[in-house]
Amino acid sequence: MTTKTFKHMLTLEELTPTDLDELIRLAIDVKRHPDAYGTALAGKKVALLFEKASTRTRISFEVGVVELGGYPLFLSGSDLQIGRGEPITDTIRVMSRYVDALMIRTYAHETVETLATAGSIPIINGLTDTHHPCQVLADLLTIEETFGTRQGKVLTYIGDGNNMAHSLMLGGALSGMHIRVASPDGYTVDETIYNQAVALAETTGGSVTLYGDPAEATVGAHVVYTDVFASMGQEAEAETRLAHFASFQVDETLMASARDEAIFLHCLPAHRGEEVTADVMDGPQSLVFDQAENRLHAQKALMITLLA
């Protein structure tokens, strides 16, 4: 029996630790017994709006809705009137009368906040420039499967203080994990979100710590995590970023600083030879493709919780 306290999935901060525990437990059961949930969204219509290109988010949500017995509607921002200037407040008011939920992958985080305020249906953040909560649900599911628990585990994130770093801090703090974020000067995480994560961690026995040295941050880690150094929309900065992040590449030497049982995670797509070497990305400690698969199961659990 769910004790859900949230209506939307925007940042992870709207969850309680109990909400998160229940989502992870449900995701594990959905993964083990998919047929048992084949009608969980029967009659439900879920709009999937993409203003940013996608591989894993699009496929996992579209397949997930179908496997739960619902009906997905793929929408491109350029195909809707918002691409021609219609206020998103008008768009979501109309959509709220047609569909049961909206998943959106977009740029400004303010967009999903406005949709949640103006609409009357659950809004799921498939990615913004500030947060990527659905990816982190899959990450936490992968950690739970690997170690049997998230509580007390050390996750070291190495790279840009971007949406992945923000959501990992929040999700890790809710889990009672010890999150370490190592970034170069000028590329650190948002201070407000960092403070939010620190406050959450104080209630769960976890911690959130910032580092400038990736080697120091990796010592004793259970999970080593990275992301591309130049995200979508930052292509013009790629050369400059590569120079600043040169010493932040995850390689076998860095992985050796972590625990023997440590795993490597990456939200994908990956650039082998930049943020991670091929021998780590494709090595025995890498669970990146299990992690990618878990997008499907975690998001199915999320949609069941919000809609069923």
Side-chain angles (χ1 to χ4, degrees):
M1 178 71 68
T2 181
T3 57
K4 174 176 74 74
T5 63
F6 61 101
K7 179 181 178 181
H8 307 287
M9 174 56 66
L10 305 184
T11 69
L12 289 175
E13 195 189 11
E14 58 268 57
L15 301 183
T16 66
T18 299
D19 288 331
L20 181 55
D21 288 345
E22 290 181 348
L23 277 173
I24 298 299
R25 284 199 299 270
L26 179 56
I28 290 170
D29 198 59
V30 167
K31 185 174 182 178
R32 290 175 178 169
H33 309 289
D35 292 344
Y37 297 90
T39 59
L41 294 190
K44 302 291 186 181
K45 300 166 289 293
V46 181
L48 309 174
L49 175 55
F50 290 86
E51 295 186 309
K52 270 191 173 184
S54 170
T55 298
R56 280 150 292 276
T57 300
R58 176 175 179 179
I59 296 171
S60 58
F61 267 107
E62 196 162 348
V63 170
V65 174
V66 170
E67 289 187 349
L68 294 173
Y71 188 88
L73 294 88
F74 172 77
L75 305 170
S76 167
S78 61
D79 295 333
L80 302 181
Q81 292 295 340
I82 55 173
R84 299 173 59 193
E86 181 179 44
I88 59 171
T89 51
D90 291 353
T91 300
I92 192 59
R93 286 173 176 173
V94 172
M95 291 181 70
S96 295
R97 303 192 180 205
Y98 295 154
V99 300
D100 298 286
L102 168 66
M103 189 288 302
I104 180 170
R105 182 177 170 95
T106 187
Y107 294 88
H109 190 74
E110 292 76 14
T111 298
V112 297
E113 293 176 333
T114 300
L115 291 168
T117 300
S120 58
I121 56 175
I123 305 300
I124 299 173
N125 176 8
L127 175 140
T128 65
D129 289 341
T130 312
H131 293 277
H132 199 354
C134 290
Q135 175 64 56
V136 171
L137 289 178
D139 302 339
L140 297 175
L141 172 58
T142 306
I143 293 165
E144 184 90 13
E145 287 180 322
T146 303
F147 298 107
T149 184
R150 289 164 284 127
Q151 181 77 36
K153 299 305 177 188
V154 177
L155 183 150
T156 298
Y157 172 86
I158 298 169
D160 191 17
N162 59 11
N163 50 9
M164 278 310 316
H166 295 155
S167 289
L168 284 167
M169 289 192 303
L170 293 171
L174 280 168
S175 299
M177 296 175 64
H178 301 290
I179 306 300
R180 304 170 180 172
V181 178
S183 305
D185 289 342
Y187 296 93
T188 54
V189 297
D190 180 88
E191 184 177 359
T192 299
I193 299 172
Y194 167 72
N195 289 333
Q196 291 170 341
V198 169
L200 278 174
E202 289 175 351
T203 70
T204 63
S207 64
V208 182
T209 310
L210 305 183
Y211 289 79
D213 180 0
E216 180 185 0
T218 307
V219 174
H222 297 87
V223 183
V224 179
Y225 199 121
T226 194
D227 188 11
V228 293
F229 293 152
S231 297
M232 193 181 306
Q234 298 173 332
E235 289 82 3
E237 305 172 30
E239 187 173 340
T240 300
R241 282 175 166 267
L242 284 176
H244 286 143
F245 283 88
S247 62
F248 284 75
Q249 183 185 75
V250 178
D251 57 17
E252 286 192 319
T253 300
L254 197 63
M255 288 297 297
S257 300
R259 294 173 181 263
D260 291 343
E261 69 272 24
I263 60 174
F264 171 74
L265 298 180
H266 192 306
C267 55
L268 301 181
H271 297 161
R272 292 169 176 81
E274 292 184 8
E275 74 273 8
V276 60
T277 57
D279 49 11
V280 171
M281 176 72 182
D282 302 310
Q285 292 173 284
S286 175
L287 295 184
V288 297
F289 297 110
D290 294 330
Q291 174 191 7
E293 178 194 336
N294 279 338
R295 289 289 303 274
L296 173 65
H297 311 302
Q299 289 161 186
K300 286 169 75 173
L302 176 61
M303 290 188 287
I304 291 168
T305 301
L306 288 174
L307 293 173

